[in-house]
Amino acid sequence: MAILEEVKPHYGRLGFYINGKWFSNPSNEIFVDKNPAKDEEIAQVEIAGEREVELAISSAYEAFLKWREVPFRDRADYLSRLRTVFQKRHEELSRVLVQDHGRTISEARGTIQRCIENIESALSALYSLYKGEHVMQLARDIDCYMLWEPVGVFLILTPNNIPMHAWSSFVPYALACGCTVIVSPSYQNPVAADMVFRVCEEVGLPPGVMNLIHVGEKYFLNRTILEDKRVMGVGFIGSSKVGKGLFELCGSLGKRSSINGNGKNHIVILEDADLNKAVEYVLRGCFGMTGQRCLGSDNVLVQKEVYGQFKELLIERSKSMKLGYGLDESTEMGPLTSKQGMERVLAFLDKGLSEGARLILDGRNPKVEGYERGYFVGPCVLEDVTTDMWIAKEESFGPICNLIPIDNLDQAIEIINKNTEYGHSACLVTNSGKNARKFIYQCNVGNVGINAGIPQPYAFYPLGSRKESFFGMAKSRIDSVRLFLDQKTVTERWV
């Protein structure tokens, strides 16, 4: 297949979007953003200073005082237009995401559809969850009702693996609820963040409702924003280590938070499973998006009766996966998002080998014709992995499959619940409804899949997470309305 055309070979010098305007400061420091398939520069990005931080906060705060007064129906109209713009520019957004992140074009198109679904979900929340409750004649001549009111300005921190999807998991809901935002994206995907704001500009939102800054690796600037009294909380998707620090900071400041962290996810394959389908689920779960999915898995627990047969099928299919640039529609797996990410994955493999695991499919140093400088690691399958190993407990965030034989479903559930501090997701491949029901009920994770490799809930469900995978008062997606709205009760007597 022909390689699709890039939106631009280079996106120039990226600045900030504050108070409805794009602006640049020639004296600011910059960092370079690269296409991970080519290791070539695609943008230079300005790093915010104290001036830009203050402008973003004051603009968002002043905008909130007006945005909260915008009639309900008018906010719904803005969201409806936002949905239309995303649909119109679906392919452009997808191709930019491939250039900046590295995923395949089919994965990128799926991501933009998830963004549209979040916008639709935010619109549905506006029409349903926002309306409050009312009880007439609660007591003699007394009525009581509850209102939902917008909270204020929020900091939104998006990660390097899902820059657009993470934006959509918070921002449309904040806008629906009458809040304003300051978005600070990962320094590894600034072009993707910039493009989202350029698309949103077509909607004509009032100045200051959405603001974009880049902090590079000056993470203390995010703390400066959160510590400001005009900022009411944070929505975050990223590592549990950083998230836990943010959660503690929010606790000390009395701020609201939705902190979504790491996972150590599992796919369980029982002896009654359709093994060909199971292989496809594992390919998607372990190697999809080059292993950088929040809901992706590292540990694959296979019942001993079918372990050997499953292993052979998995190795055969994994070897055939085509690596390459995501704008080639025949590519099945793209590069890691960054050189640092690639190095972390290689270090994870080295750690596993030092612990005694055996690499039965080695995806290191693959030859990808035309993209020799890209950050590629092919599918890697490890055997002789035991549950006491570090690699069985911590997330690889790369295309790695730890094969672990199990005796039965009870053992699998025990590993999922007790062998890791995380509680993000788990999947089961089976033909038994009884086993599926037991798995759903007993697994202490927030997202369960049955006969699936990625237990991705639709946008009008929250992304569930437990244990060290989540901190805060509300999950992302539709549940984030609880982050952005606060309750007020009114008790009144007129007689």
Side-chain angles (χ1 to χ4, degrees):
M1 291 186 183
I3 296 176
L4 300 171
E5 186 178 355
E6 296 174 345
V7 175
K8 291 181 182 179
H10 196 286
Y11 292 84
R13 184 179 174 115
L14 307 183
F16 315 102
Y17 187 76
I18 298 175
N19 204 30
K21 296 179 181 178
W22 294 97
F23 76 93
S24 176
N25 185 345
S27 64
N28 281 5
E29 294 179 55
I30 64 167
F31 65 91
V32 169
D33 185 35
K34 293 185 176 183
N35 181 325
K38 302 178 179 181
D39 190 38
E40 292 179 358
E41 179 183 306
I42 58 172
Q44 295 183 353
V45 188
E46 292 188 22
I47 299 174
E50 292 182 4
R51 174 175 173 265
E52 288 81 20
V53 166
E54 172 54 32
L55 279 173
I57 295 171
S58 59
S59 297
Y61 180 73
E62 293 300 321
F64 168 68
L65 299 178
K66 299 174 183 177
W67 181 244
R68 65 170 296 169
E69 300 296 332
V70 172
F72 174 95
R73 291 183 299 177
D74 292 347
R75 290 208 303 273
D77 184 56
Y78 280 116
L79 284 169
S80 180
R81 278 185 269 164
L82 184 62
R83 176 183 181 271
T84 298
V85 170
F86 263 74
Q87 288 179 319
K88 182 178 73 173
R89 300 183 68 175
H90 192 295
E91 182 67 11
E92 182 182 6
L93 285 162
S94 299
R95 294 189 190 188
V96 167
L97 188 55
V98 171
Q99 268 185 282
D100 201 23
H101 174 270
R103 69 188 68 190
T104 66
I105 187 62
S106 62
E107 290 167 339
R109 288 167 179 159
T111 292
I112 305 308
Q113 185 57 40
R114 301 294 87 75
C115 292
I116 292 169
E117 289 164 5
N118 266 317
I119 296 167
E120 293 169 344
S121 176
L123 198 51
S124 74
L126 185 60
Y127 282 119
S128 57
L129 304 178
Y130 194 77
K131 62 188 177 183
E133 301 170 2
H134 195 153
V135 178
M136 294 286 288
Q137 198 72 352
L138 178 69
R140 184 161 301 280
D141 300 330
I142 294 177
D143 303 333
C144 190
Y145 55 97
M146 183 191 73
L147 307 173
W148 290 102
E149 295 187 334
V151 174
V153 180
F154 280 82
L155 173 63
I156 306 299
L157 301 174
T158 59
N160 66 0
N161 66 319
I162 51 168
M164 292 183 179
H165 195 183
W167 172 90
S168 75
S169 295
F170 289 114
V171 174
Y173 300 98
L175 303 187
C177 293
C179 295
T180 59
V181 297
I182 302 166
V183 178
S184 176
S186 165
Y187 72 93
Q188 294 176 358
N189 314 115
V191 171
D194 186 271
M195 182 56 66
V196 166
F197 271 74
R198 293 187 186 278
V199 168
C200 290
E201 197 174 18
E202 292 186 30
V203 175
L205 287 163
V209 170
M210 280 177 50
N211 303 275
L212 171 68
I213 65 167
H214 299 284
V215 304
E217 295 185 85
K218 293 185 175 181
Y219 303 119
F220 68 88
L221 292 173
N222 291 329
R223 183 184 181 111
T224 298
I225 296 170
L226 192 53
E227 287 177 338
D228 193 284
K229 291 182 179 180
R230 293 166 291 180
V231 177
M232 305 308 293
V234 63
F236 169 87
I237 299 175
S239 74
S240 292
K241 180 180 178 181
V242 173
K244 199 167 187 177
L246 272 175
F247 181 60
E248 291 170 354
L249 177 61
C250 287
S252 67
L253 297 171
K255 304 283 177 106
R256 293 170 164 243
S257 65
S258 174
I259 307 292
N260 303 268
N262 292 103
K264 182 64 176 180
N265 305 323
H266 299 73
I267 300 175
V268 180
I269 299 164
L270 296 185
E271 62 177 331
D272 65 342
D274 181 323
L275 295 186
N276 289 307
K277 288 182 179 179
V279 166
E280 294 305 314
Y281 298 147
V282 168
L283 290 179
R284 187 159 184 255
C286 293
F287 307 141
M289 242 171 67
T290 322
Q292 297 168 113
R293 274 194 175 104
C294 301
L295 291 166
S297 295
D298 291 332
N299 289 346
V300 177
L301 314 180
V302 187
Q303 199 160 4
K304 289 177 180 177
E305 287 80 356
V306 293
Y307 180 88
Q309 184 182 355
F310 174 80
K311 180 178 71 172
E312 289 180 11
L313 290 170
L314 176 65
I315 296 296
E316 180 183 3
R317 178 66 180 88
S318 300
K319 282 180 177 179
S320 71
M321 291 188 76
K322 179 181 176 181
L323 276 63
Y325 190 17
L327 290 180
D328 179 344
E329 292 187 283
S330 67
T331 292
E332 294 182 275
M333 198 167 89
L336 276 302
T337 297
S338 68
K339 188 174 183 179
Q340 301 98 308
M342 179 183 69
E343 289 169 349
R344 281 195 294 269
V345 170
L346 296 175
F348 185 97
L349 288 167
D350 288 342
K351 176 70 172 177
L353 294 173
S354 71
E355 289 184 303
R358 190 162 53 91
L359 196 56
I360 58 174
L361 181 61
D362 190 349
R364 296 173 295 182
N365 303 311
K367 306 302 179 187
V368 184
E369 186 176 352
Y371 303 99
E372 288 80 9
R373 292 167 55 194
Y375 314 139
F376 290 95
V377 176
C380 297
V381 180
L382 288 159
E383 196 174 35
D384 297 339
V385 178
T386 57
T387 55
D388 61 332
M389 292 179 180
W390 182 85
I391 62 166
K393 299 175 182 290
E394 294 296 331
E395 187 175 35
S396 74
F397 224 58
I400 293 174
C401 170
N402 295 328
L403 282 181
I404 302 174
I406 54 168
D407 293 322
N408 50 47
L409 180 59
D410 287 334
Q411 184 186 6
I413 293 171
E414 184 174 13
I415 291 171
I416 292 166
N417 289 346
K418 296 182 179 180
N419 200 58
T420 174
E421 295 299 316
Y422 304 109
H424 196 42
S425 74
C427 293
L428 176 67
V429 188
T430 183
N431 279 316
S432 167
K434 179 181 179 181
N435 284 335
R437 189 174 188 277
K438 179 178 182 177
F439 188 80
I440 293 166
Y441 185 70
Q442 293 188 7
C443 281
N444 186 21
V445 297
N447 306 281
V448 173
I450 302 298
N451 295 322
I454 302 289
Q456 179 76 262
Y458 203 86
F460 50 61
Y461 291 105
L463 186 67
S465 295
R466 296 180 178 180
K467 298 159 70 176
E468 294 288 310
S469 296
F470 175 79
F471 309 95
M473 63 174 293
K475 307 291 172 65
S476 63
R477 307 185 189 183
I478 198 165
D479 197 45
S480 69
V481 297
R482 297 194 298 114
L483 179 70
F484 300 123
L485 293 174
D486 204 355
Q487 298 156 313
K488 177 185 285 182
T489 61
V490 179
T491 304
E492 61 182 12
R493 175 189 284 127
W494 290 105
V495 179

